[in-house]
Amino acid sequence: MWKIDLFLDELTHRGLVPRTIDKYRLHIERFTRWCTANQIASPRSVTVADVLRYVETEIEPRDVTPGWMYSAKLAVHRYFSVLEARNELLFAPAIVIRKPKGPSGVYGAIDQEVLR
């Protein structure tokens, strides 16, 4: 119903490493559990408003690292992009989540430690 295997197969086909694929799987499973709890039955039922509400209530309020937040948003964005590309959806509702800008360079905490 949620086509998670299709998504994971596409990531494998694109050459992502298993650890990255596993992280995406965990984020998408979290998203689909949230959808089910909110009476959203399938990816085709997800609206732009649902995606925004998920990001605003389940991702952004968390006290997590920038990398975790980046990968959580990116996973949802890529999940819907893959389903749209595979003609499983007419429109990817997660397109409203701009592909988050990833952290560049070394994190500041690491930079400070190196300078000591």
Side-chain angles (χ1 to χ4, degrees):
M1 170 179 357
W2 285 96
K3 312 256 183 209
I4 295 174
D5 288 339
L6 178 104
F7 173 62
L8 299 176
D9 288 346
E10 179 64 24
L11 298 180
T12 301
H13 177 73
R14 291 182 184 183
L16 273 69
V17 297
R19 183 175 176 190
T20 300
I21 293 170
D22 193 46
K23 286 180 184 180
Y24 279 128
R25 180 186 55 78
L26 291 173
H27 287 301
I28 295 307
E29 286 175 349
R30 184 177 293 111
F31 172 71
T32 58
R33 280 193 306 272
W34 179 88
C35 287
T36 301
N38 285 278
Q39 287 74 48
I40 302 167
S42 73
R44 290 178 182 224
S45 303
V46 176
T47 66
V48 170
D50 295 328
V51 171
L52 291 173
R53 189 165 41 115
Y54 175 74
V55 169
E56 291 170 359
T57 63
E58 301 297 320
I59 295 177
E60 290 178 347
R62 289 181 175 248
D63 184 22
V64 294
T65 65
W68 187 94
M69 193 170 293
Y70 171 79
S71 66
K73 289 179 180 180
L74 186 60
V76 174
H77 184 275
R78 282 191 173 170
Y79 170 72
F80 282 106
S81 294
V82 166
L83 293 182
E84 183 182 40
R86 293 282 189 99
N87 295 316
E88 297 291 333
L89 301 172
L90 294 175
F91 172 74
I95 208 70
V96 296
I97 303 176
R98 286 189 216 128
K99 194 172 177 182
K101 187 174 182 181
S104 60
V106 182
Y107 287 107
I110 296 172
D111 287 342
Q112 292 173 7
E113 190 64 30
V114 170
L115 294 175
R116 290 185 186 169

